[in-house]
């Protein structure tokens, strides 16, 4: 699993976040996507790393500006009643 954090300029409200989430979901095979206009970022969880060229194309087609792409391994945090 891979977590990709996108820096995005231009999102102004919750509808912008929804628009960005839909654009990512419609163009990539993702497990989860969340956007925050106040943080100016979108976080994407996927099985494989996403193509940065295609990310830039998809984001800019929506009218926003991709300012950065950070990728890191992602491990799902499980819930356990038994802490050690």
């Amino acid at each position: 699993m891979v977590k990709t954090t996108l820096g995005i300029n231009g999102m102004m409200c919750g509808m912008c976040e929804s628009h960005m989430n839909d654009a990512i979901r419609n163009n990539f095979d993702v497990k989860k996507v969340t956007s925050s206009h106040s943080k100016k970022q979108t976080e994407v969880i996927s099985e494989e790393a996403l193509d940065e060229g295609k990310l830039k194309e998809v984001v800019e087609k929506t009218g926003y500006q991709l300012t950065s792409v950070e990728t890191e391994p992602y491990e799902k945090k499980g819930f356990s009643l038994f802490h050690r």
Side-chain angles (χ1 to χ4, degrees):
M1 300 282 278
V2 178
K3 175 181 170 183
T4 306
T5 304
L6 310 174
I8 299 178
N9 276 342
M11 292 190 296
M12 306 300 271
C13 63
M15 285 305 293
C16 295
E17 296 168 359
S18 179
H19 191 211
M20 180 54 60
N21 293 345
D22 289 345
I24 297 294
R25 280 190 201 100
N26 291 336
N27 288 279
F28 298 95
D29 183 21
V30 299
K31 297 290 182 188
K32 181 178 178 184
V33 58
T34 55
S35 295
S36 169
H37 70 279
S38 59
K39 292 181 184 178
K40 296 183 178 181
Q41 72 181 26
T42 296
E43 288 185 352
V44 183
I45 307 299
S46 57
E47 290 285 341
E48 304 290 327
L50 304 177
D51 178 286
E52 289 190 28
K54 187 173 178 187
L55 278 170
K56 183 175 175 66
E57 182 182 313
V58 167
V59 170
E60 292 185 355
K61 227 186 262 186
T62 61
Y64 306 116
Q65 179 186 15
L66 182 65
T67 59
S68 65
V69 178
E70 294 177 22
T71 303
E72 62 187 84
Y74 176 79
E75 288 186 28
K76 190 172 184 179
K77 294 171 182 64
F79 177 76
S80 174
L81 296 174
F82 307 100
H83 299 289
R84 292 184 182 229

